[in-house]
Amino acid sequence: MSKNLLVLGIESSCDETGVALVETRHEGVPVLLADALYSQIEMHQAYGGVVPELASRDHIRRVLPLARQVLDAAGRGLGEVDVVAYTRGPGLAGALLVGAGVACALGASLGKPVLGMHHLEGHLLSPFLSADPPQFPFVALLVSGGHTQLMRVDGVGRYEMLGETIDDAAGEAFDKSAKLMGLGYPGGPALARLAEQGDGAAFKLPRPLLHSGNLDFSFSGLKTAVLTQAKKLGDALDAPGVSGASGASAKADLAASTQAAIVEVLVKKSLMALKQTGLKRLVVAGGVGANRLLREQLNGACERQGVRVHYPELHLCTDNGAMIAMAAAMRLQAGMQEASEVYAFDVKPRWPLDAINLAPTLSRSA
Ligand code: KG4
Ligand code: ZN
């Protein structure tokens, strides 16, 4: 690639509107120049979860002002943008259509090409936005609200699925358990906060598929066990905890026990994936990657195995535009893909990550 490319990235797959500007470099990792995010959390809180139609309408309101903000922050003009990248899927159809529509309209009006990106590839490559980017190959633990996957990553566009959830995702297990405990939306961070006060050993909860011998996950049984436990406790949920931890309620103990179960499965399966592949590098991405206990336990376990762990910066664990701009810039820089000057667009609400592989021989091995 002869000239550095300025890539504008737009993320609108769920409840966050993200826009960012990334520039490719002749050598090395592309550089983030500016990013901006608008979270719709407050708007959806009243409904206890994401309302897709409200999400789409709010993306429409936010996306252009955020693009302006990002260009101003980087001191660049819209006319300088070389490629407009957007999240094509997976995600909420209406929300995706907003980002895709705006990106293609911008591209058409500027006479610049567009690139539809895979949201999970954005998460997967988000640690490259950190000051200490990983090197290929690595094992990736992708833990978001909708996905839980272990992948072998040999390069940009070379993703091999090692294992994934057969039902709920890890983020979903956090969110649904939090809802059962009346912790509202978004449940993951709320449950994690309450868990800080509780005792993770207070309740014996299942560790589904821990000894299955493969790298698949299952979290729906855990949610049922949490429900059964919460029902059994009834009003006692708010009483002092069964563990006797100072001042902690039974609810805090249940939150801590739920978190401990999810984290233990994620850590053990990640170690299994590292052992199976013989790789010594782990990348953790997606919203659940922000979880403090998960980071602590992965760090400890990996240190003992001589494995280096990379995370995205904390604020880039959840959805953002920077990861979309970065993934697009890396694809372009690696010569893997060309941006298109066809502005007709579609979105892919369901879209497996290995469908975008450049090496068709890669296949599921576990
Ligand atoms: O990657 P993300 O922002 O969106 C999707 O692509 O799904 O992930 C959101 C998920 C939610 O399930 C949220 O509850 C969870 O990440 N999450 C957390 C934490 N922060 C976000 N789960 C546990 N602990 C956290 N600190
Ligand atoms: Zn996401």
Side-chain angles (χ1 to χ4, degrees):
M1 195 163 38
S2 50
K3 130 184 205 307
N4 288 339
L5 294 178
L6 197 58
V7 181
L8 184 74
I10 298 175
E11 154 63 32
S12 71
S13 66
C14 189
D15 55 354
E16 253 119 19
T17 323
V19 182
L21 209 52
V22 163
E23 194 169 49
T24 60
R25 287 287 177 260
H26 191 58
E27 269 178 33
V29 181
V31 174
L32 175 66
L33 302 183
D35 70 324
L37 187 78
Y38 182 85
S39 170
Q40 304 177 352
I41 282 177
E42 224 172 278
M43 179 179 74
H44 296 296
Q45 242 153 10
Y47 305 92
V50 180
V51 183
E53 180 58 24
L54 293 182
S56 313
R57 291 179 192 205
D58 205 59
H59 286 307
I60 295 173
R61 277 193 286 274
R62 309 292 169 191
V63 65
L64 284 176
L66 286 175
R68 172 59 53 213
Q69 191 181 323
V70 158
L71 288 162
D72 288 350
R76 300 296 185 95
L78 193 53
E80 290 176 70
V81 170
D82 295 300
V83 175
V84 185
Y86 62 94
T87 305
R88 187 176 174 208
L92 301 170
L96 290 166
L97 281 168
V98 176
V102 169
C104 290
L106 270 178
S109 65
L110 297 169
K112 298 291 171 61
V114 293
L115 196 53
M117 298 300 301
H118 197 293
H119 180 81
L120 293 181
E121 184 176 42
H123 277 303
L124 199 64
L125 300 178
S126 61
F128 286 91
L129 290 156
S130 72
D132 178 25
Q135 282 179 343
F136 298 113
F138 52 77
V139 168
L141 172 67
L142 250 176
V143 269
S144 68
H147 295 83
T148 297
Q149 305 181 330
L150 277 162
M151 325 259 326
R152 179 191 166 108
V153 179
D154 284 288
V156 180
R158 296 174 62 199
Y159 312 128
E160 180 186 2
M161 182 81 78
L162 301 171
E164 64 185 324
T165 183
I166 57 170
D167 42 53
D168 290 353
E172 219 170 339
F174 268 103
D175 293 337
K176 288 181 175 170
S177 303
K179 201 163 187 178
L180 293 172
M181 291 182 226
L183 299 177
Y185 151 90
L191 190 145
R193 252 192 321 274
L194 183 63
E196 296 284 332
Q197 304 162 19
D199 178 349
F203 296 99
K204 275 205 168 17
L205 296 173
R207 269 72 170 152
L209 298 191
L210 189 59
H211 303 292
S212 62
N214 64 20
L215 296 172
D216 286 338
F217 302 87
S218 162
F219 289 107
S220 70
L222 175 63
K223 172 192 64 195
T224 311
V226 172
L227 177 64
T228 308
Q229 198 55 253
K231 274 190 175 156
K232 211 151 84 186
L233 285 165
D235 291 343
L237 252 186
D238 292 311
V242 284
S243 70
S246 63
S249 62
K251 196 192 273 187
D253 285 342
L254 187 55
S257 303
T258 307
Q259 177 176 254
I262 298 170
V263 166
E264 185 182 338
V265 176
L266 293 177
V267 171
K268 294 227 165 112
K269 294 264 170 166
S270 299
L271 292 180
M272 273 175 67
L274 287 158
K275 195 167 168 204
Q276 188 177 300
T277 56
L279 296 176
K280 289 286 178 194
R281 215 170 283 119
L282 177 69
V283 157
V284 183
V288 181
N291 186 269
R292 197 193 54 77
L293 184 73
L294 177 65
R295 285 185 176 220
E296 210 175 271
Q297 300 219 342
L298 273 178
N299 288 346
C302 287
E303 201 182 325
R304 287 190 289 279
Q305 306 286 330
V307 170
R308 278 210 60 189
V309 198
H310 295 260
Y311 305 92
E313 288 182 36
L314 215 49
H315 71 287
L316 297 176
C317 277
T318 43
D319 294 347
N320 62 82
M323 67 185 198
I324 298 304
M326 177 55 107
M330 287 181 75
R331 279 199 157 238
L332 293 165
Q333 188 167 299
M336 297 286 180
Q337 192 165 352
E338 292 203 351
S340 156
E341 287 180 34
V342 175
Y343 302 109
F345 59 87
D346 64 351
V347 293
K348 290 180 169 283
R350 287 175 183 276
W351 194 13
L353 181 55
D354 43 8
I356 63 166
N357 262 335
L358 295 149
T361 50
L362 292 178
S363 64
R364 188 184 165 91
S365 68

